[in-house]
C-alpha cells in the first residue's frame, strides 16, 4: 500500500533582480518529480545542495504549494486537503531550530504535545515512551541549552513523534552531529521503521543512506536522476574500479587532465584539511595506477589504494553524469 504518491510535481519561484532595469528571474526548484513511497518504507531522497530536496519535502508536508503536479500523503492531496495531511505526518529538521532552549526537554515535549492535540490523559505515558525511544531518559529535566547537538536531534525526533504520525519526514537529521551521536540517531531511525512508521529521509551522508534506506531517489537540478535500492544504484558501477588518492595541491587543471585519460569514467575531489581526497573511477581491470600518478606529476601524493565502488561513488557518477547532459542551472531570465 502506498503512503506517498508524487506525480510530475513542480515548484517555480519568481524574483526580481538588477537595477536600474530590473529583470524577472524564474527559478524552477523542482521540475516534474515523480515517485511512490510504500507504507512502512524508509525512503531516501539524496541530492546536492540546491537540488530540490527540501522544496520537495516542504510541498509534501503542506508548507509550500506546488506550482503544478500532484502529491498525496496517505490518500490526501497536499494542496486541497492540508489539514488531514498535517494530522498524520511529523517533520524533523536538522540543526538547532524548533526547540525552546531555556525549557527542559520534558517541558518542550509537554508544550508540543498540547500543540499537536495529544490527549492529556495520554501525554505522560507517551512522553515517557519517547524519552526511552530516543535515549534521553534521565536527562529530560535538564535545560535544552545544555544539550549536545546529538541530544537535541534526538529530542527533535521525539517531538516529531508525539502525535504518533504515520509518516515522518527527516530533513538531514544528523547534520553537524558527531559520529557516536549519529550512530545513535541511525539506531533510532531504524527502530521507527521496525514500528511501522513510514520515513522519508534526506541526508548528505551516503553511508547513512546505505545502511538505513530500503530505496533511494537521487535528485539533481530539480529532477529525479535515479531510483532504486542501494544495491541497485551501486550495481550501476559494477564494471568499474575506484582509485583513492590522498593529494596535496591538486588544482582543477590536474583534475581535468585525469578526466581526459582513456578508461577514466569519473573524477571527484574533496578537501580534507590540508589534503584532498581524489577519487578516480576507472573501467574494471584497467590498471591505470601508473597513468593516473603520472598525470599528477609535480603534485605531492600520499596514500593510494584501489577498492570496490560504494553508494557514494554511485551517487557522484549519477549526479555528475547527468550534469554533463542536463542544464546546469534552473534559472531562466525574462525581461521585465
Amino acid at each position: 500500500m502506498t503512503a506517498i504518491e508524487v506525480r510530475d510535481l513542480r515548484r517555480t519561484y519568481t524574483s526580481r533582480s538588477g537595477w536600474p532595469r530590473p529583470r524577472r528571474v524564474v527559478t524552477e526548484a523542482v521540475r516534474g518529480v515523480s515517485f511512490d513511497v510504500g507504507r512502512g518504507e524508509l525512503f531516501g531522497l539524496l541530492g546536492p545542495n540546491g537540488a530540490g530536496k527540501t522544496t520537495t519535502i516542504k510541498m509534501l508536508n503542506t508548507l509550500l504549494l506546488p506550482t503544478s503536479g500532484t502529491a498525496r500523503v496517505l490518500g490526501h492531496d497536499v494542496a486541497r486537503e492540508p489539514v488531514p495531511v498535517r494530522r498524520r505526518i511529523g517533520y524533523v529538521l536538522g540543526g538547532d531550530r524548533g526547540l525552546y532552549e531555556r525549557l527542559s526537554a520534558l517541558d518542550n515535549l509537554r508544550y508540543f504535545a498540547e500543540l499537536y492535540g495529544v490527549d492529556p490523559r495520554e501525554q505522560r505515558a507517551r512522553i515517557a515512551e519517547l524519552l526511552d525511544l530516543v535515549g534521553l531518559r534521565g536527562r529530560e529535566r535538564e535545560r535544552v541549552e545544555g544539550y549536545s547537538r546529538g541530544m537535541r536531534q534526538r529530542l527533535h525526533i521525539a517531538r516529531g513523534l508525539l502525535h504518533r504520525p504515520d509518516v515522518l519526514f527527516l530533513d538531514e537529521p544528523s547534520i553537524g552531529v558527531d559520529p557516536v551521536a549519529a550512530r545513535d540517531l541511525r539506531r533510532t531511525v531504524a527502530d521507527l521503521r521496525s514500528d511501522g512508521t513510514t520515513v522519508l529521509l534526506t541526508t548528505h551522508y551516503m553511508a547513512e543512506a546505505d545502511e538505513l534506506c530500503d530505496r533511494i531517489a537521487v535528485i539533481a537540478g530539480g529532477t529525479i536522476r535515479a531510483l532504486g535500492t542501494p544495491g541497485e544504484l551501486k550495481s550501476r558501477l559494477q564494471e568499474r574500479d575506484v582509485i583513492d588518492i590522498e593529494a596535496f595541491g591538486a588544482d582543477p587543471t590536474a583534475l581535468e587532465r585525469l578526466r581526459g585519460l582513456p578508461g577514466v569514467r569519473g573524477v571527484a575531489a574533496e578537501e580534507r584539511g590540508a589534503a584532498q581526497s581524489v577519487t578516480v573511477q576507472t573501467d574494471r581491470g584497467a590498471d591505470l595506477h601508473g597513468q593516473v600518478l603520472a598525470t599528477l606529476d609535480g603534485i605531492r601524493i600520499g596514500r593510494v589504494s584501489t577498492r570496490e565502488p560504494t553508494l557514494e561513488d554511485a551517487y557522484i557518477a549519477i549526479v555528475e553524469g547527468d550534469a554533463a547532459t542536463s542544464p546546469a542551472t534552473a534559472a531562466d531570465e525574462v525581461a521585465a
Side-chain angles (χ1 to χ4, degrees):
M1 193 172 182
T2 303
I4 301 173
E5 302 174 22
V6 179
R7 296 290 179 270
D8 197 27
L9 199 62
R10 298 174 182 270
R11 174 68 189 194
T12 300
Y13 296 96
T14 302
S15 59
R16 299 175 73 86
S17 67
W19 187 88
R21 297 183 60 186
R23 299 180 67 84
R24 184 165 58 92
V25 179
V26 179
T27 302
E28 290 185 279
V30 177
R31 302 176 168 189
V33 166
S34 298
F35 60 86
D36 292 330
V37 180
R39 291 283 185 103
E41 184 176 18
L42 205 162
F43 187 88
L45 187 61
L46 309 183
N49 291 331
K53 302 185 303 298
T54 298
T55 299
T56 299
I57 284 187
K58 285 185 175 180
M59 286 189 283
L60 293 179
N61 62 31
T62 76
L63 294 179
L64 284 176
L65 282 172
T67 302
S68 64
T70 62
R72 302 179 72 84
V73 176
L74 300 169
H76 298 287
D77 188 284
V78 298
R80 298 176 181 177
E81 305 171 273
V83 174
V85 172
R86 291 170 185 167
R87 286 174 178 162
R88 301 185 66 182
I89 65 171
Y91 184 26
V92 177
L93 291 166
D96 294 328
R97 295 169 292 171
L99 297 171
Y100 292 93
E101 294 200 346
R102 299 189 68 182
L103 296 180
S104 68
L106 184 60
D107 287 338
N108 266 276
L109 293 179
R110 286 170 173 165
Y111 172 73
F112 285 108
E114 290 290 337
L115 285 185
Y116 292 156
V118 179
D119 191 320
R121 294 169 297 181
E122 298 179 1
Q123 287 184 15
R124 178 177 295 182
R126 181 59 178 161
I127 289 172
E129 177 185 349
L130 291 172
L131 289 170
D132 283 334
L133 175 67
V134 300
L136 291 178
R137 172 72 79 174
R139 306 289 300 273
E140 68 270 21
R141 296 189 182 277
E142 299 176 21
R143 284 188 177 184
V144 171
E145 63 187 357
Y147 273 19
S148 68
R149 177 68 65 87
M151 293 171 68
R152 293 180 188 213
Q153 287 303 94
R154 284 183 275 157
L155 183 58
H156 272 298
I157 292 176
R159 187 207 68 191
L161 292 171
L162 277 165
H163 56 305
R164 303 182 188 275
D166 296 302
V167 177
L168 181 66
F169 295 93
L170 297 178
D171 194 1
E172 299 187 35
S174 55
I175 186 171
V177 173
D178 66 80
V180 174
R183 180 197 60 195
D184 293 338
L185 280 171
R186 289 195 298 271
R187 186 181 301 121
T188 300
V189 173
D191 289 341
L192 297 178
R193 176 176 53 185
S194 299
D195 291 340
T197 304
T198 302
V199 179
L200 194 154
L201 169 74
T202 74
T203 180
H204 284 296
Y205 302 115
M206 297 300 113
E208 180 175 84
D210 197 2
E211 176 184 342
L212 292 174
C213 295
D214 299 308
R215 288 188 304 139
I216 292 170
V218 179
I219 184 172
T223 63
I224 299 294
R225 307 301 197 186
L227 176 63
T229 67
E232 289 169 345
L233 296 186
K234 285 184 282 188
S235 70
R236 290 169 170 246
L237 302 185
Q238 61 185 352
E239 297 302 323
R240 297 188 187 183
D241 289 324
V242 178
I243 304 174
D244 280 333
I245 304 168
E246 183 185 36
F248 298 83
D251 56 25
T253 302
L255 298 179
E256 282 303 314
R257 290 200 302 267
L258 284 177
R259 292 187 178 99
L261 287 177
V264 169
R265 297 295 175 232
V267 177
E270 179 183 354
E271 299 291 335
R272 294 186 177 177
Q276 297 159 295
S277 176
V278 179
T279 303
V280 182
Q281 296 182 18
T282 71
D283 290 334
R284 176 64 56 88
D287 193 16
L288 296 178
H289 275 75
Q291 296 179 52
V292 167
L293 294 179
T295 303
L296 295 175
D297 186 40
I299 296 170
R300 187 157 65 93
I301 300 298
R303 178 185 56 82
V304 180
S305 62
T306 302
R307 58 173 173 78
E308 294 286 328
T310 65
L311 180 62
E312 183 171 358
D313 299 317
Y315 166 82
I316 291 171
I318 291 165
V319 172
E320 291 194 343
D322 285 321
T325 57
S326 299
T329 179
D332 300 310
E333 290 192 356
V334 181

